[in-house]
Amino acid sequence: QQVDQDYVLLLGDVLVEIKEEGATHRIRAHRILLNETENILNAEGGIEYTLIKGAEEEVFRGERLTFDVDSWEGVFFSGGMEAERAIGGEAIRFRFTGESISRLEDNTVVIDRGRITSCDLEEDPHYHIRARKIWVLAPNEWAILNAVLYIGRVPVLYLPFFFRPGDEFFFHPAVGYRDP
């Protein structure tokens, strides 16, 4: 069957840099296949994707990547991400890893079967959270589903669901109980 599409295949230690208004995208991989007709990019092997927006820099690493060049939506498989976030006036580097990491057009990041930590140790962190699903929605706004907080290798807290809003809520929910 013949397909009427144009492809570009790059092999070896490949580095592709794409610049657009306010952002630079760098993709390093062993193999990159670009479908020029559909504007879909597939990369495999030792992938490092860097997104630079002004002073902010996010680095994704993984084994496979598929994304749309027009909208910058994409999915990483067996990968991780590093990003600095300002908390209390201090810049803290967070590491996210997961079976798959999806970046949506509105810059929402969804991590399946993920782990999150801000510990300096990558292999055996002093603390981390493992969750079935992690959403990074907006600056300082995130949510987790079926999460366990680990101190070292010891599970200490289970959270069925947690949402941290980026903006102030007009009400403040509280969890607790009262004696009758």
Side-chain angles (χ1 to χ4, degrees):
Q1 186 176 19
Q2 196 170 16
V3 178
D4 189 26
Q5 295 183 349
D6 296 323
Y7 290 93
V8 174
L9 176 63
L10 304 170
L11 298 171
D13 187 17
V14 179
L15 175 63
V16 174
E17 185 172 288
I18 302 168
K19 293 185 179 187
E20 65 174 353
E21 285 183 35
T24 301
H25 306 266
R26 286 190 195 126
I27 303 160
R28 181 179 297 274
H30 297 299
R31 179 181 186 270
I32 295 179
L33 178 65
L34 174 64
N35 180 333
E36 290 183 316
T37 307
E38 299 290 328
N39 274 340
I40 302 291
L41 186 136
N42 292 295
E44 292 180 5
I47 298 167
E48 183 175 289
Y49 167 65
T50 306
L51 173 60
I52 303 167
K53 284 185 175 179
E56 289 184 27
E57 183 175 300
E58 293 181 358
V59 179
F60 293 83
R61 290 182 179 88
E63 285 306 308
R64 287 186 304 135
L65 163 68
T66 300
F67 76 90
D68 185 328
V69 176
D70 293 329
S71 66
W72 299 104
E73 290 182 316
V75 179
F76 268 92
F77 297 97
S78 301
M81 157 188 171
E82 291 182 16
E84 273 194 12
R85 301 286 187 237
I87 297 179
E90 183 180 343
I92 297 176
R93 181 160 287 285
F94 284 92
R95 286 185 186 83
F96 305 87
T97 58
E99 286 182 10
S100 70
I101 301 174
S102 303
R103 184 179 185 86
L104 307 178
E105 190 172 4
D106 63 355
N107 288 329
T108 298
V109 175
V110 180
I111 304 167
D112 288 317
R113 305 240 182 266
R115 183 175 89 168
I116 229 176
T117 187
S118 63
C119 181
D120 293 336
L121 299 175
E122 287 187 46
E123 288 301 313
D124 200 10
H126 296 116
Y127 54 89
H128 66 276
I129 295 172
R130 287 187 193 166
R132 190 172 82 189
K133 196 168 284 257
I134 301 168
W135 295 270
V136 181
L137 303 166
N140 299 321
E141 185 171 278
W142 51 278
I144 52 178
L145 176 68
N146 289 338
V148 178
L149 170 65
Y150 287 82
I151 304 297
R153 295 180 182 167
V154 180
V156 293
L157 178 67
Y158 170 72
L159 293 167
F161 183 79
F162 179 79
F163 173 70
R164 188 203 183 279
D167 296 326
E168 289 294 318
F169 266 150
F170 57 90
F171 69 97
H172 296 281
V175 177
Y177 67 93
R178 293 185 209 193
D179 288 333

